[in-house]
Amino acid sequence: MAWQRAGERFAPVSSEPTSGSTAVSAETPSPYPHDLHPGLVRGIDVGEQRNRFGIDKIVFFITAVIIVSFIAWGVTSPESVSTASTTAFDWAIVNTGWLLNLTMALGLVVMLYIGFSRLGRIKLGTDDSEPEFSRFSWVAMMFGAGIGVGIFFYGPSEPLAYYVSPPPHTVEAGTAEALHQAVAQSHFHWGLSAWAMYALVGGAIAYSSYRRGRVPLISSVFKPLFGSRGTDGIIGKIIDIMAIIATLFGTAATLGLSAVQIGQGVEIISGAGPLTNNILLTIIAVLSVGFIISAVSGVTRGIRLLSNTNISLTLGLVIFVFLAGPTLFLFNLIPSGIAVYLDELLPMISKSLSWGDDTVEFQGWWTAFYWAWWIAWTPFVGMFIAKISRGRTLREFVLVTMLAPTTILILAFTVFGGTAIRNSQNGVEGFDGSASSQQVLFDMFGQLPLAQITPFILILVLAIFFITSADSASLVMGTMSSKGDPEPNKLVVVFWGLCMMGIAIVMLLAGGETTLTALQNLTILIALPFSAVLLLMMVAFVRDLRTDPAYIRRTYARSAVENAVVRGLEEHGDDFGLAVEPAPEGRGAGADFDSTAENVTEWYQRTDEDGNAVDYDYDTGEWADGWTPDSDDTTDTADAAVDADGDHGDVEKQRRTDPGSWADDAHDGTQR
């Protein structure tokens, strides 16, 4: 029941659909698609839609030309790439570094607003949808997304670096304050801010696909801003191209770090001297063969096994260090480090480039790189999170996505970083801040029991991270370049994987002796323009949510019931009830809402594979043209055509999106 104040009296609201403030009679054609008021739509799952898939030639070929050209440039003239990237970076970090800070800060604010406002009640799915996975499995898979090579490359070395050389304008080096500032700064880079951005992209894609029925593309999220014509046209193409490029460079940076870390392990095991870039390139080549085998085989079960094994080994190594290392020291450091992190969160956010040249240098080496890395990874990790989150409310989604991985990473960085700092306090060689990040990791395990075995385990873990990350990222990019196809052509997947390897190679060649610098510079340069996309996504996502059927219903209910209760108390005291009755024009609960506006009705108009409107019965699920899922057998035909003539580019698959297949690879190694 709903009522609305109408001048001097309260009028009951009709339960029948209205056009703005005008009731629709039986004789009047309905102004709504399928004769359904936008507030009564239960939502549309992407699996209920009829879509035509195939390679998006514009997105694929433009992106391919850009990336292949860059790789060719980097291989033939790495020195010029290094010079150009350094020059561009020096300008960008001073003049546009603020954009990265702004994006990360606003992302955190927007997701907290979505989670704790009335918008948080909206489901990532239809009204009657239920979560596909138990909460434990959901969190476990999300944990898999949050653990990767970064926890090994930076886990011990980053807190140690802050301890011996604290961030500008904070504390003195080597003190108790420096210890807590060090772990807090690491938590800042790997905690809530990063996962708020992943939650933004993941929530937006999940909502767009599972609630609005759109294909899982970054561009689909922007329909509230640019409409179907814009997102299906040039604007959408540009957004998807930028998303693929960002993912390519972000993942390539991860692969480059993996290769550097593995190289250090090989150096220790073999007893050889410092490895050259040629050896690192050989490592990438060997791992690339593993990726190709994985991608072509299509054996997702095997990849899942590898990923689950990797997660178990990673957890085991963290627990091993905790128990074999300075356990009592770590017990005390964990809660105090979290407290300092929460206390210093706003001051750390406020450290912009206005603080001086030393802050500029710190931002360029640490904070800006991390922000850029996370931004570049948002399409990949966001797609992953979206896959596994159907049926959750936005409030649950935001809280769990931000808190669960953050907690895990905080514990891991405290254990690894605290152990490294303890070694520094005890004067252990290699922990004075002069060693490289990859050296600190192996030196730390070298001070613990089983030092002869752990290097082999670390190399194995890093190698699996490399293969599974490349496999999963390539699949996501294949989807983004194939009109949202959850099962893109394997050759397309392999192509993007090889492009990632090529970019990683260019980063290593361009870096020379300072490989990490090249990785950081190129990642920041690529992430800067994509940060503008994420800022627009925040606007589009909130706008989309504010026209959601559930939000419309609650707006009507809040307006009508609150006003009706006031008048009921005024006129009848305790003895009144509410009833649903027609209201005069302009006096109903939706008098101030145009329910026929295109932005609230266009999205649930059902169409065929060619985009032509087709009538649809939401109660029975029947299409007016007689189409049924069983009659859609063109997928097999298309696949047969591919097998027959090998022409993968021109064959399109016409089918419903299978949400199950989209989620099948949900935990196939989405690690950074």
Side-chain angles (χ1 to χ4, degrees), residues 7 22 131 178 275 306 326 341 372 391 458 484 572 623:
T22 305
L275 300 183
L306 286 177
Y341 165 52
L458 289 170
H572 307 290
W623 296 81

Side-chain angles (χ1 to χ4, degrees), residues 27-67:
E27 294 78 16
T28 305
S30 174
Y32 308 118
H34 314 295
D35 196 20
L36 188 65
H37 189 282
L40 298 177
V41 184
R42 64 175 182 82
I44 306 174
D45 193 292
V46 64
E48 301 172 2
Q49 299 283 58
R50 296 159 62 177
N51 293 300
R52 189 184 301 276
F53 296 121
I55 295 177
D56 190 323
K57 296 180 180 179
I58 295 176
V59 172
F60 178 84
F61 286 110
I62 290 179
T63 310
V65 168
I66 294 173
I67 296 302

Side-chain angles (χ1 to χ4, degrees), residues 267-286:
E267 179 181 329
I268 291 174
I269 293 174
S270 64
L275 300 183
T276 64
N277 268 345
N278 289 334
I279 302 297
L280 295 179
L281 298 182
T282 302
I283 292 173
I284 291 180
V286 172

Side-chain angles (χ1 to χ4, degrees), residues 67 70-71 75 247-249 251-256 258-259 280-295 463 465-474 477 493-509 519:
I67 296 302
F70 173 80
I71 294 172
V75 172
T247 303
L248 278 167
F249 276 83
T251 310
T254 300
L255 301 184
S258 298
L280 295 179
L281 298 182
T282 302
I283 292 173
I284 291 180
V286 172
L287 294 174
S288 298
V289 173
F291 153 72
I292 293 172
I293 295 173
S294 168
F465 276 144
F466 185 105
I467 294 172
T468 54
S469 294
D471 196 346
S472 301
S474 299
M477 288 184 288
V493 173
V494 171
F495 173 78
W496 291 127
L498 293 177
C499 285
M500 280 189 295
M501 313 301 175
I503 294 173
I505 289 172
V506 171
M507 288 178 169
L508 294 176
L509 293 176
L519 291 170

